[in-house]
Amino acid sequence: MSTENDPEFDVVVVGGGPCGSTVSTLVAMQGHRVLLLEKEKFPRFQIGESLLPATIHGICKLLGVSEDLKNAGFPIKRGGSFRWGKNPEPWEFSFSLSSKFVDGASTAYQVERMKFDQILLENARRKEVEVREEASVVDVIENDGRVAGVRYTDESGVTHLVRSRYVVDSSGNKSRIHGRIGGKRHYSDFFRNLALFGYFTGGKRLPAPNEGNILAVAFERGWFWYIPLSDTLTSVGAVLMPEELDKVQGDREQALQNLIKECPLIAEYLADAQRVTEGTYGEVRVRKDYSYIQEKFWRPGMVLAGDAACFIDPVFSQGVHLATYGGLLAARSLNTALAGEVDETVAFDEFETRYRMEYARFHDFLVAFYDMHEDENSYFWSAKKVTKSGASHVESFVELVGGGASNEVALVDSEQYVSQRQQMFAELSDVVERRARGEAENHELLKSSLIRSVAREGHRVQIQAASGKNVDEVTPVRDGGLVPSPDGFHWVEPTRLAS
């Protein structure tokens, strides 16, 4: 087996999904030499079809793919519809974040990921990223304690050595090199789920104008997602506790049908539908979505982003948002460090601090969202209770708010974690129940502290992409920290922005 030495690059990005395409494109747009290595041949299947406005109208606008997405004909998603909480009536949530985004920018898309990811990857090529598919990264190259490139094998079995100033691992939860960053991957005892899912044609749609919404329906053993991917194609999945794995190891088709029968609303929507049995969508699949976070997000010469760094339960459709947002943060730090504008440590500590903060916001929201459902007869829902259970299930995961620049995990007492957030949890539960009874409007949901928190950063990215200015983020999030440059591609010191 032969070995070849490739030309040197400024950045090598491992993984061609939304995170990898985002970080590689935003760095290449600043004139840097970028190589993207993807182990598969696109288009390829991927789960995670429901997106948020910040990805579409923020990051995708910065990437320059807005017209490509519009022309793809993806269903427009105005928000989410839920059968969740104590009240049995469904309720909906829309993305009208502010008066500035009432029209087109308060929507997102439901996407077939193989098509969406292909659009982002082809855009990276157009932006002069060198993309090599069927390139499997084996390991990183080190030089004096610094990551200085990667070793990979191409489709012909030839091993390549490619050197670079930085390596970004965005190769997902099954990354082969994430451990080279140092530290451990911490898994949640609270968000330990598995999903059994398939694809159907002919399923019912929600009434207009919400026919493109995701429908999330809680039932005794867990919850279902119902995502319209076209006028006829629907992604349907049941989220269960991992203890249910034995029940879906045999005939997955029958197991999924049995679960559908247990959930009357989903059964109604699929009454006249047929499961797709051929092609890419013809398989009933199982996926374990065990939420986790890495102790460290970077070391000299190497950065983790996307699912290689962290993953959290996707009930709020935030998976692609966290991946692309992490790619944006990483790109800002790479562009800043490559230009020699600030010290490398300061630039990448900014990336890690902000990434952990965004992750923590979604964690808090999701704990509250699961905690509001009451079903004493269900093991799934009783296991998800926090405020009434003494919070034993969150002990392993409250540490996610730690780490950051010090690379030390800050363990937080779980009872303190719950007591500090119990009022926010109760506020969200109350407004959801009033929303389901028709006693509250959508704007009251948007004003709740937890929803405001998860919308804040995405909203800022949307404003920056639309206006080309950093209109309100002039105060750093930490002592000695940085703020985004006006164009969103770099970090700058607050004093420079003020001048």
Side-chain angles (χ1 to χ4, degrees):
M1 185 178 296
S2 61
T3 300
E4 297 183 3
N5 289 305
D6 289 8
E8 185 172 340
F9 290 84
D10 292 313
V11 179
V12 172
V13 176
V14 184
C19 180
S21 291
T22 295
V23 64
S24 62
T25 301
L26 295 177
V27 173
M29 288 172 69
Q30 296 298 293
H32 303 297
R33 298 164 298 163
V34 183
L35 172 66
L36 189 154
L37 301 172
E38 165 56 46
K39 69 177 180 180
E40 298 188 55
K41 179 69 176 177
F42 277 38
R44 53 86 175 99
F45 173 81
Q46 184 59 273
I47 190 66
E49 302 103 336
S50 196
L51 307 186
L52 296 180
T55 299
I56 300 303
H57 303 291
I59 293 169
C60 286
K61 187 175 180 66
L62 291 172
L63 293 173
V65 296
S66 297
E67 285 301 310
D68 296 305
L69 296 177
K70 181 179 178 181
N71 295 334
F74 295 131
I76 294 175
K77 172 185 174 182
R78 301 182 185 280
S81 298
F82 298 88
R83 194 359 260 138
W84 202 282
K86 296 186 285 292
N87 195 301
E89 296 301 316
W91 54 278
E92 82 284 343
F93 169 77
S94 64
F95 289 133
S96 298
L97 299 179
S98 78
S99 58
K100 295 181 181 179
F101 296 113
V102 169
D103 297 321
S106 62
T107 61
Y109 293 119
Q110 312 283 20
V111 300
E112 294 180 65
R113 281 288 302 278
M114 64 171 55
K115 296 179 180 179
F116 176 76
D117 292 8
Q118 181 81 49
I119 288 171
L120 297 191
L121 190 67
E122 290 305 319
N123 180 64
R125 283 192 171 99
R126 290 197 302 270
K127 297 298 196 302
E128 299 187 356
V129 175
E130 184 169 335
V131 177
R132 300 178 190 173
E133 297 176 73
E134 298 179 279
S136 182
V137 173
V138 178
D139 203 353
V140 300
I141 299 169
E142 291 195 35
N143 184 15
D144 293 331
R146 182 182 183 90
V147 173
V150 300
R151 186 170 77 252
Y152 76 93
T153 304
D154 66 21
E155 71 276 13
S156 300
V158 176
T159 298
H160 296 252
L161 299 177
V162 56
R163 296 189 178 277
S164 61
R165 295 174 66 181
Y166 292 98
V167 172
V168 178
D169 181 13
S170 57
S171 57
N173 66 326
K174 295 182 180 179
S175 163
R176 299 174 66 178
I177 62 171
H178 77 274
R180 297 302 299 272
I181 207 77
K184 297 179 180 179
R185 180 178 282 185
H186 290 272
Y187 287 85
S188 170
D189 282 341
F190 187 79
F191 294 120
R192 292 173 61 247
N193 298 331
L194 67 87
L196 179 68
F197 62 98
Y199 295 81
F200 293 78
T201 59
K204 182 179 175 181
R205 292 291 178 260
L206 289 160
N210 296 321
E211 64 272 19
N213 277 13
I214 183 174
L215 175 63
V217 182
F219 71 120
E220 182 177 329
R221 291 170 67 184
W223 64 273
F224 267 96
W225 77 69
Y226 189 96
I227 303 173
L229 300 180
S230 71
D231 290 342
T232 58
L233 182 66
T234 308
S235 170
V236 180
V239 178
L240 313 165
M241 292 291 284
E243 287 76 8
E244 301 281 346
L245 183 60
D246 290 343
K247 299 177 183 178
V248 300
Q249 290 285 36
D251 188 340
R252 293 180 179 178
E253 162 75 21
Q254 190 59 53
L256 182 58
Q257 293 294 346
N258 290 341
L259 289 167
I260 291 169
K261 291 177 182 177
E262 293 181 25
C263 186
L265 186 56
I266 295 298
E268 174 193 337
Y269 271 66
L270 292 175
D272 298 321
Q274 298 292 322
R275 190 180 71 80
V276 178
T277 57
E278 297 180 350
T280 303
Y281 297 124
E283 180 183 352
V284 175
R285 291 177 164 92
V286 172
R287 171 159 174 171
K288 297 179 185 177
D289 283 337
Y290 287 7
S291 301
Y292 55 83
I293 190 167
Q294 198 79 16
E295 276 185 16
K296 298 172 63 176
F297 283 7
W298 79 279
R299 59 173 285 197
M302 184 175 178
V303 182
L304 297 184
D307 289 359
C310 55
F311 177 83
I312 197 165
D313 183 291
V315 67
F316 198 59
S317 305
Q318 75 283 348
V320 175
H321 163 70
L322 279 174
T324 54
Y325 180 71
L328 170 63
L329 296 179
R332 286 174 177 169
S333 296
L334 289 162
N335 288 333
T336 303
L338 287 168
E341 295 169 337
V342 302
D343 178 74
E344 175 186 81
T345 299
V346 175
F348 287 101
D349 282 352
E350 192 68 37
F351 152 78
E352 179 163 345
T353 298
R354 288 175 178 264
Y355 204 1
R356 287 183 182 276
M357 287 175 64
E358 187 74 347
Y359 188 92
R361 291 186 186 102
F362 278 101
H363 176 268
D364 287 348
F365 173 80
L366 292 169
V367 169
F369 202 66
Y370 269 113
D371 195 56
M372 74 172 62
H373 190 84
E374 292 189 356
D375 189 336
E376 294 179 356
N377 297 319
S378 168
Y379 175 66
F380 182 95
W381 294 107
S382 63
K384 298 300 181 186
K385 300 304 291 180
V386 178
T387 56
K388 294 183 179 180
S389 69
S392 61
H393 295 287
V394 298
E395 288 179 359
S396 69
F397 230 43
V398 293
E399 64 188 33
L400 66 85
V401 298
S406 67
N407 293 323
E408 295 178 0
V409 176
L411 295 176
V412 181
D413 180 78
S414 60
E415 292 186 3
Q416 180 184 4
Y417 168 86
V418 172
S419 65
Q420 290 175 343
R421 290 159 176 80
Q422 194 159 11
Q423 183 175 352
M424 295 189 297
F425 293 177
E427 176 195 27
L428 182 64
S429 179
D430 175 68
V431 72
V432 163
E433 294 308 317
R434 290 191 295 111
R435 186 81 175 93
R437 296 195 300 267
E439 300 170 1
E441 299 296 327
N442 187 65
H443 68 85
E444 293 185 59
L445 278 168
L446 293 167
K447 289 181 179 178
S448 65
S449 56
L450 283 171
I451 292 183
R452 283 204 319 271
S453 72
V454 300
R456 184 180 302 121
E457 287 305 305
H459 195 187
R460 282 175 167 168
V461 174
Q462 285 183 254
I463 293 174
Q464 190 161 48
S467 66
K469 299 177 181 178
N470 177 10
V471 293
D472 68 342
E473 197 171 357
V474 296
T475 303
V477 299
R478 61 192 179 95
D479 291 341
L482 307 171
V483 295
S485 61
D487 63 6
F489 285 79
H490 293 248
W491 300 118
V492 297
E493 296 175 352
T495 52
R496 284 182 53 193
L497 193 66
S499 63

